[in-house]
Amino acid sequence: MCPSKVSDGDERGWIIPIGGAEEKQNDRRILSRFVELCGGEDADIVVFPTASRLLDTGARYEEIFRDLGAAAVESIDFDTRRDCEEKGRLERIGRATGLFFTGGNQLRITTLIGGTPVAKLIRQRNAQGVHVAGTSAGAAILSEHMIAFGEEGGSPRAGSVRLAPGLGLTNRFIIDQHFRQRDRLGRLATALAFNPFAIGIGLDEDTAAFIGPDNTLEVEGSGSVTVIDAADLQFSSMDRADEGDAVCLLGLGVHMLVHGATFNLHTRRAGAGTLISPKE
Amino acid sequence: MCPSKVSDGDERGWIIPIGGAEEKQNDRRILSRFVELCGGEDADIVVFPTASRLLDTGARYEEIFRDLGAAAVESIDFDTRRDCEEKGRLERIGRATGLFFTGGNQLRITTLIGGTPVAKLIRQRNAQGVHVAGTSAGAAILSEHMIAFGEEGGSPRAGSVRLAPGLGLTNRFIIDQHFRQRDRLGRLATALAFNPFAIGIGLDEDTAAFIGPDNTLEVEGSGSVTVIDAADLQFSSMDRADEGDAVCLLGLGVHMLVHGATFNLHTRRAGAGTLISPKE
C-alpha cells in the first residue's frame, strides 16, 4: 500500500503524530497549533475516538478543540466495519479540514477501519490537503508500518516488537510513542532492523512531530523527538538472531530533537531550526 | 588526571567494566574470562568490596573466583582513607595479577580511595599490565569521568546527570551500567553533551566490555553494549538549556553491540567481530 497520490496542483496535508499525554489544560500548544493549521476559527475537525475504551474520549476532545476556537468539531465512532461504509459519516469526514485520532489501542483502529471506505477516504483527503493528527495509538497508526506491540528496554532484542500495517499516510517512518516514559528505544531500533529503509521516530509524551507537505518534521511540545536513521547501517544480526537474543546493530544515526528543531525525512538531515543555526 | 603512563616494553592491562548482575551460578562466562585473563590457575586476584554495604560481598566473589580456578584470591576492604596508606594492603595489591571492584555505591569507592596511595597503585599496576575489572558501581569508577547519579529516561534532559572524577584508568569513555534494565540512554547522552570528546558506553546487565591494551573493546555476556559516539555532533543545546529542559543533540552515532562484536576506542570504528565480517 503506497500513500495516496497527490494530484497536480494539490499539496499533501500535514501529518502530526503526537507522543501521547499532550497538555490539555494549561500550555496546549500542540492541540492549539493543530487547530490553527486546520484553519483556526474556520477549522472543521472530526475526532476519531475509536482506539479508546472510554466513552467520554470523543466528547473531551470536542470540548478542547471548540475551546481552542475551531468553528466545528464532531466526534465520529465506529462499532463495526459496516459502520465504515455508512454514507452520512463518509460525507461528514469529507467536509472536515482536520482529522484527529485519539489514543487507546492501535489495533482497535486498524482492525475496525483498515481497508474500509473510511480508511480510503482519510488517505485521499490527506493527499488533497487535509491535516491528520493522532496521539499515542492514534500516532502509531498514521504510517504504513506500525508497531502493534513490543517490550520495553533500551537495547534491541529479536522478538521484542511486532509490526502490523497501519493507515499508510506515509511509508517514510515508523512511530513509537510514550518514548522516554516507557523506554522504547530498543523496540524501535528492532523494528528498523528488519528493513532499515524507514526512519524511526520516537515521540516523548506532550511532544509532537509536525510533518509538512515538504517532508520536514518540526518538533512541538515539552519533550524530545528521537530520530533513528539506519540508512548507513553497517551491520545487523537480525537475520541470525533467535527469539529473545540481543540484536547487533552497527552504524545507527541518532538525533535527539527538541521544540524548534527539524528533520527532513527526504534528505535525512537534522537542523537546529529556531534553536539556532547548526553551522554557527 | 591522565591515565598512568605505560613504560616502554610494558603493555597496559585490560580494563573490564561489567554492567552489573553478571551470571554467578550457571554460565559465568564474564567472570571466567576475567580469571583466564589474569592467569587462570596462576591468577592472583584482589577483590575490593568497598562499594557494597553487604558484609558478605567480598567473601562471595572470593568463593566464585576460587571456584573458577584462581590460585589466590583475597578480599581487601577500607573503612577510612587512612586504611588506604597501610603498607600490608598496598603490598598485597602490588602482587595481584587482577583487581576486581564489586557493585554498590560508586561514591563510596571514590570518596574513600580517590587520591590515596591505593588509587595511585591501582593506576600504576594497570599501566604495568595488571587487569582491572569492576561491576556496576565498580564499572562506573574505572574511567576519568564517572556518572555519580542521574535520572532514568530515554531522552536527554539538562540536570539529569551528575558527573564526578573516577579512578581514571582511561579518559576515553564514560560508562553507564544496568543500561537496558534502568533505561539510561538519556543520562548517558546528557553526560556526553557537556563535552563530546569521550565515548559513551552503556552496559546491560550480565554484559561486559573487555577492553584490550590496543583499545579494542570486545563484548562478552548475554546483553548489549550501546556505544554512543558524539564525535560528529552537529549541534548541542546543552549550553542554553535550563534545568529539566529536554536537550537537543544532533548527529550522534550509535552502535548496539552484542557478544562477539567489537569497537575500537581509538579509531571509533565498530565491527561485527566473530558475528561475521561487516563487509560480507
Side-chain angles (χ1 to χ4, degrees), chain A residues 152 155-156 180 183 185 204 222 224 234-235 240 246 248-258 270-271 275-276, chain B residues 152 155-157 180 183 185 204 224 234-235 240 246 248-258 270-271 275-276:
Chain A
E152 303 201 345
S155 38
R180 171 186 165 86
D183 185 18
L185 182 81
D204 287 359
S222 62
S224 293
Q234 296 160 34
F235 175 77
R240 70 209 72 177
C248 187
L249 293 175
L250 307 183
L252 292 174
V254 174
H255 308 285
M256 287 158 166
L257 312 177
V258 301
L275 289 168
I276 206 159
Chain B
E152 305 201 345
S155 39
R157 290 201 169 252
R180 172 186 166 86
D183 185 18
L185 181 81
D204 286 358
S224 293
Q234 295 159 34
F235 174 78
R240 70 208 72 178
C248 187
L249 293 174
L250 307 184
L252 293 173
V254 173
H255 309 285
M256 287 160 165
L257 311 177
V258 301
L275 288 169
I276 205 156

Side-chain angles (χ1 to χ4, degrees), chain B:
Chain B
M1 185 165 63
C2 290
S4 268
K5 199 174 171 305
V6 177
S7 305
D8 290 345
D10 278 351
E11 199 174 54
R12 185 172 62 69
W14 289 61
I15 301 174
I16 306 135
I18 306 167
E22 69 283 355
E23 186 58 60
K24 294 177 191 70
Q25 306 267 345
N26 302 306
D27 184 7
R28 304 182 286 193
R29 51 183 168 165
I30 295 173
L31 299 177
S32 171
R33 183 167 170 184
F34 175 62
V35 172
E36 278 310 306
L37 205 55
C38 296
E41 54 185 22
D42 296 322
D44 182 345
I45 297 170
V46 166
V47 175
F48 300 96
T50 315
S52 176
R53 285 171 187 275
L54 304 173
L55 287 176
D56 65 345
T57 302
R60 194 168 172 212
Y61 277 103
E62 280 186 12
E63 198 187 321
I64 294 170
F65 288 134
R66 257 185 226 117
D67 194 41
L68 288 169
V73 191
E74 193 166 344
S75 169
I76 296 185
D77 205 358
F78 308 93
D79 289 320
T80 64
R81 288 177 63 83
R82 192 66 184 271
D83 288 347
C84 300
E85 298 173 18
E86 202 246 316
K87 251 191 177 172
R89 293 185 226 205
L90 290 168
E91 281 172 9
R92 180 65 192 87
I93 294 166
R95 286 200 305 276
T97 60
L99 307 173
F100 186 91
F101 286 90
T102 72
N105 176 350
Q106 51 262 53
L107 287 178
R108 218 178 114 71
I109 307 179
T110 55
T111 53
L112 260 174
I113 78 169
T116 69
V118 163
K120 196 175 169 189
L121 180 61
I122 293 168
R123 290 158 47 81
Q124 279 173 349
R125 293 296 289 153
N126 184 237
Q128 290 163 358
V130 169
H131 313 300
V132 184
T135 186
S136 188
I141 57 114
L142 298 177
S143 63
E144 175 73 46
H145 301 279
M146 83 172 184
I147 295 181
F149 3 71
E151 295 161 14
E152 305 201 345
S155 39
R157 290 201 169 252
S160 70
V161 68
R162 296 277 185 280
L163 295 177
L167 200 56
L169 299 184
T170 169
N171 54 15
R172 288 185 188 264
F173 54 78
I174 296 179
I175 291 289
D176 213 345
Q177 62 280 5
H178 305 284
F179 198 67
R180 172 186 166 86
Q181 291 75 12
R182 300 191 191 166
D183 185 18
R184 288 175 162 177
L185 181 81
R187 78 177 206 180
L188 183 54
T190 307
L192 297 179
F194 292 121
N195 182 340
F197 87 95
I199 290 163
I201 299 183
L203 298 165
D204 286 358
E205 293 181 355
D206 190 36
T207 309
F210 277 74
I211 302 166
D214 65 350
N215 277 306
T216 298
L217 172 169
E218 296 169 18
V219 179
E220 185 73 69
S222 61
S224 293
V225 173
T226 304
V227 172
I228 308 183
D229 182 359
D232 294 324
L233 199 72
Q234 295 159 34
F235 174 78
S236 159
S237 66
M238 193 54 142
D239 56 344
R240 70 208 72 178
D242 290 326
E243 185 87 7
D245 278 359
V247 175
C248 187
L249 293 174
L250 307 184
L252 293 173
V254 173
H255 309 285
M256 287 160 165
L257 311 177
V258 301
H259 172 73
T262 65
F263 184 79
N264 187 309
L265 292 161
H266 183 64
T267 63
R268 296 178 176 243
R269 287 181 70 89
T274 58
L275 288 169
I276 205 156
S277 156
K279 281 170 190 157
E280 184 202 32

